Amino acid sequence: MHADESWWRHAVIYQIYPRSFADGNGDGMGDLLGVLERLDSLKELGVDAIWFSPFFKSPQKDAGYDVSDYNDIDPLFGTLADFDAVLAKAHSLRIRVIIDLVPNHSSDQHPLFQAALKAGKGSAERDMYHFREGKDGNTPPNNWPSVFGGNAWTQIDDGQWYLHIFDSSQPDFNWNNPKVIEFFHDVLRFWFDRGVDGFRVDVAHSLIKEEGLPDIEEISTSMTGSDSEPTEEKPHPFWGQDGVHEIIRGFRKVSDEYEDRAMVAEAWILPLKKMAKWVRPDEYHQTFNFAYLGTQWRCADLRRVVDESIYEFGQVGAPSTWVLSNHDVIRHVTRLAYDEIPKQGDGIGPNYPQPDEARGQRVGRAATAFMLALPGSSYLYQGEELGLPEHTTLEAKYRQDPTFFRTNGDRVGRDGCRVPIPWEADAPAYGFNKTGKSWLPQPENYRRYARSEQAGVAGSTLELYRRLLKVRKEFKLGLGSLKWVEELCDDSTLVFDNSGVRVVANFGSPIALPAGELLVTTQHDLTIEGVLEHDQVAWIRL
Ligand code: NOJ
């Protein structure tokens, strides 16, 4: 058992994507009132904390990741008083609340950017962002691509260009400017003072840009950057620059002014060895483990990434985190139904081969049961407790992700994982609200996945998640340690022990279950007593 039992070391943190969780006022867009009404269901599920994707004031060009006021709630989602009510209720249910911090860029409508535009070339206001002259008249200052497609520079009337790693409505802040640091420390304090338990830091790996903003040698447009992954020898001019550590230490000092708070970094493309440096004792508490998310349901690959994660994070005394789904990736029950999937962020549209739903459900449930037994902290994405699949046939006319527009529809983008989740099979919008409106249309198969169809039904995915979370808590698996049971592992079986629980994952033909009390299994109703079938996981009491 880990000596430090701080909550974030072992918590199961549930991501609420406010647009799509529950809609209290019936306008088709999820909101804080909706969250308030549905919070009890998360208590029943058994999560320890929730993380809110942005609900701040925003023109919503990138679904709220374009913030125009960091210290207020967008009227789409409610008011600060609504937030206070959600926070108070969550705390009364002993659920902690983490919110998003979006420090890499603001909205172009943010007063600081508007002031920069007005103040003109060479001003202190422009120095809050990255403004540059172009090369030979009309060429952008360098060759950097935007993650969402196209290039990362937009020219303004006086001829200067501003940098935006994402959409042109999201200008990048200049983190070499102490005023930017000060500004964000104040934002942290504003929300910590209000009582939030922590922050998830958006694109935490891009805050510092290489001096001189040099061209990139190998161009990649993906957020995972898999085709130009930075390494120690080959740094990238805007992903994972070393200068970011000073910024992180500053954040940590602020969070240490408060008791029991935690910060988790979102940083996509960095190798685990490098990531571990971000969670040294005076830096972030946690970082998302996207190496794990990117690993297929394959025996050897999973073992490798689990070992590497535990080892690398262990070297600096940090817990590993684990995650399978979020609002930027194809939902894992859909993703894992494929051998080859589109690059992260590209999404699946009607023209892509459609998934094998049964395979996805089977493998997705197994992947979750494997993940929740691992020591460290785990992140869940709303709807995954229902086994909710990606909407893979969303028509072009409904698309909202800037990726879709910046690539002329070549990359359909992330809307398919952001569709409002189903609560009651027979209610309007499947219970998302009372009016039946929905900012993205829900596919017909969401009816089958509605919570009402699963609650209390033995073998349902919802009941599986509940049981996994209950047993995980009872045995304190999050604080435990993992030991492979070598004599039972082979090319298609992984078996490990953690805190009195033996976890068996079968990737191949049916195997005999080791002896012991079956605590939980993905294979509801073992067809043959004592036999675990393929793509199934069982937890057994040792
Ligand atoms: C990562 C967020 O998760 C994603 O949704 C967003 O588009 C980018 N950062 C830009 O803020």
Side-chain angles (χ1 to χ4, degrees):
M1 200 64 60
H2 203 284
D4 176 359
E5 297 199 8
S6 298
W7 65 273
W8 47 270
R9 287 187 168 272
H10 55 92
V12 173
I13 301 168
Y14 181 97
Q15 180 187 357
I16 291 187
Y17 193 65
R19 298 177 143 243
S20 299
F21 183 72
D23 171 19
N25 70 3
D27 65 356
M29 179 66 69
D31 51 33
L32 289 167
L33 198 60
V35 174
L36 193 64
E37 284 166 0
R38 296 288 192 182
L39 261 187
D40 289 316
S41 68
L42 297 185
K43 185 68 196 169
E44 276 165 36
L45 180 60
V47 303
D48 305 301
I50 49 185
W51 148 39
F52 278 102
S53 279
F55 41 43
F56 314 103
K57 273 213 171 117
S58 158
Q60 303 291 327
K61 292 278 167 54
D62 183 23
Y65 281 96
D66 49 318
V67 180
S68 57
D69 185 347
Y70 288 85
N71 292 351
D72 206 352
I73 306 280
D74 196 285
L76 265 185
F77 303 117
T79 61
L80 278 171
D82 294 339
F83 177 73
D84 291 341
V86 168
L87 188 64
K89 172 138 190 212
H91 283 167
S92 76
L93 295 171
R94 300 172 66 85
I95 294 177
R96 308 209 190 224
V97 177
I98 293 179
I99 64 171
D100 230 293
L101 183 74
V102 189
N104 179 67
H105 44 265
S106 68
S107 156
D108 60 355
Q109 299 307 307
H110 194 285
L112 287 172
F113 189 73
Q114 287 299 317
L117 289 178
K118 258 201 214 104
K121 294 186 183 181
S123 59
E125 286 85 348
R126 286 226 172 155
D127 194 46
M128 295 292 278
Y129 294 87
H130 294 280
F131 282 88
R132 293 288 185 281
E133 297 298 331
K135 277 191 211 153
D136 347 304
N138 267 351
T139 321
N142 68 22
N143 71 351
W144 294 3
S146 151
V147 169
F148 293 156
N151 81 53
W153 294 92
T154 290
Q155 195 169 24
I156 57 171
D157 289 347
D158 63 16
Q160 280 207 317
W161 300 72
Y162 68 87
L163 175 68
H164 52 86
I165 302 284
F166 293 89
D167 189 51
S168 56
S169 63
Q170 296 166 296
D172 282 44
F173 278 112
N174 170 18
W175 276 86
N176 292 317
N177 184 337
K179 287 202 198 114
V180 171
I181 300 182
E182 219 175 283
F183 174 83
F184 276 99
H185 285 189
D186 287 347
V187 172
L188 291 176
R189 289 196 185 96
F190 175 86
W191 292 101
F192 277 143
D193 285 342
R194 248 188 150 84
V196 305
D197 299 286
F199 287 87
R200 172 267 193 193
V201 183
D202 188 61
V203 265
H205 55 322
S206 61
L207 302 188
I208 293 293
K209 277 75 180 175
E210 189 176 334
E211 223 189 301
L213 312 184
D215 277 355
I216 304 178
E217 283 166 29
E218 283 171 65
I219 298 288
S220 162
T221 50
S222 110
M223 193 143 62
T224 60
S226 44
D227 39 349
S228 69
E229 191 168 277
T231 61
E232 297 292 337
E233 306 75 47
K234 183 170 66 86
H236 188 284
F238 60 79
W239 297 137
Q241 284 281 310
D242 277 345
V244 87
H245 291 291
E246 204 184 313
I247 311 286
I248 306 175
R249 289 193 194 102
F251 286 165
R252 180 64 182 246
K253 280 206 187 100
V254 176
S255 83
D256 282 350
E257 292 167 10
Y258 300 81
E259 230 177 285
D260 236 9
R261 315 295 165 104
M263 294 182 84
V264 54
E266 187 228 19
W268 266 98
I269 47 172
L270 307 180
L272 280 166
K273 198 178 207 49
K274 189 154 180 159
M275 254 359 286
K277 292 194 188 155
W278 290 47
V279 288
R280 290 177 289 199
D282 59 347
E283 302 199 29
Y284 288 123
H285 300 77
Q286 294 187 340
T287 174
F288 285 108
N289 184 344
F290 293 124
Y292 184 74
L293 184 148
T295 303
Q296 274 285 9
W297 177 248
R298 285 192 208 110
C299 191
D301 296 350
L302 265 184
R303 177 165 173 161
R304 196 174 318 114
V305 72
V306 166
D307 278 343
E308 202 191 330
S309 306
I310 292 176
Y311 175 77
E312 294 297 352
F313 291 118
Q315 291 295 94
V316 295
S320 184
T321 63
W322 314 101
V323 61
L324 287 166
S325 282
N326 65 34
H327 66 293
D328 289 327
V329 301
I330 296 161
R331 283 182 174 278
H332 72 274
V333 291
T334 301
R335 192 175 75 231
L336 296 173
Y338 291 91
D339 293 326
E340 295 296 332
I341 50 155
K343 259 200 322 210
Q344 185 277 336
D346 286 6
I348 292 177
N351 298 331
Y352 194 78
Q354 292 300 299
D356 171 346
E357 196 172 340
R359 175 180 173 197
Q361 289 294 316
R362 194 177 68 236
V363 177
R365 285 160 53 105
T368 299
F370 186 84
M371 174 179 88
L372 288 174
L374 295 170
S377 159
S378 275
Y379 282 79
L380 305 179
Y381 177 50
Q382 65 180 33
E384 70 164 88
E385 74 279 20
L386 307 173
L388 202 64
E390 184 87 355
H391 187 346
T392 53
T393 54
L394 189 68
E395 288 174 64
K397 65 178 183 202
Y398 297 115
R399 295 268 167 203
Q400 306 220 5
D401 186 346
T403 310
F404 179 78
F405 302 102
R406 292 182 64 89
T407 62
N408 291 324
D410 279 355
R411 297 160 58 197
V412 295
R414 301 160 294 174
D415 295 310
C417 64
R418 299 175 172 181
V419 174
I421 62 172
W423 295 87
E424 283 100 29
D426 297 320
Y430 306 126
F432 170 60
N433 56 26
K434 293 193 172 63
T435 59
K437 290 188 191 158
S438 173
W439 71 280
L440 286 174
Q442 298 160 299
E444 208 275 320
N445 68 354
Y446 272 28
R447 187 178 192 286
R448 274 191 278 128
Y449 291 94
R451 181 171 293 251
S452 62
E453 301 306 279
Q454 303 196 37
V457 176
S460 70
T461 300
L462 178 62
E463 293 304 332
L464 172 68
Y465 269 71
R466 278 193 186 142
R467 179 82 188 139
L468 290 168
L469 293 181
K470 185 159 184 277
V471 178
R472 176 189 159 92
K473 192 162 279 173
E474 205 175 300
F475 285 82
K476 294 196 166 185
L477 300 187
L479 285 169
S481 55
L482 171 146
K483 192 171 174 306
W484 298 108
V485 186
E486 296 296 353
E487 63 277 20
L488 297 178
C489 289
D490 60 30
D491 288 353
S492 57
T493 317
L494 287 179
V495 183
F496 66 83
D497 291 346
N498 177 7
S499 312
V501 175
R502 174 156 293 181
V503 178
V504 186
N506 182 13
F507 300 76
S509 35
I511 54 168
L513 269 179
E517 179 196 340
L518 194 55
L519 292 166
V520 49
T521 170
T522 52
Q523 185 182 333
H524 177 59
D525 289 340
L526 297 181
T527 330
I528 308 170
E529 194 65 29
V531 171
L532 192 68
E533 288 167 20
H534 73 126
D535 301 334
Q536 303 289 348
V537 169
W539 295 9
I540 293 161
R541 187 197 290 269
L542 271 179

